[in-house]
Amino acid sequence: MTYELENQIKELRAEMKNACEANERRQIAAELEIALAELAAIEVEQDGRVSAEPPF
């Protein structure tokens, strides 16, 4: 899963560089922020710093 997410992040960064309109850049930036947050959450979970189990 992380491989696909990393590829998505690379594609979004490339799209951001080529985006001409401000609205398009904002939309891509929002998608990129979500993808980066998802990747960070996956990495933290894999490192064992956070458990995927609910706290109760």
Side-chain angles (χ1 to χ4, degrees):
M1 168 137 178
T2 58
Y3 180 75
E4 291 100 9
L5 195 52
E6 289 169 348
N7 280 338
Q8 180 184 7
I9 290 169
K10 287 178 186 177
E11 290 175 6
L12 287 168
R13 286 181 174 152
E15 284 182 34
M16 181 90 94
K17 289 180 183 178
N18 295 325
C20 296
E21 298 180 15
N23 288 338
E24 185 180 8
R25 282 193 300 275
R26 280 193 295 272
Q27 182 179 357
I28 294 168
E31 291 177 24
L32 179 59
E33 185 176 340
I34 291 168
L36 288 169
E38 288 176 10
L39 182 60
I42 290 170
E43 289 174 346
V44 165
E45 187 178 309
Q46 287 178 345
D47 289 345
R49 290 180 271 170
V50 174
S51 174
E53 299 291 324
F56 46 88

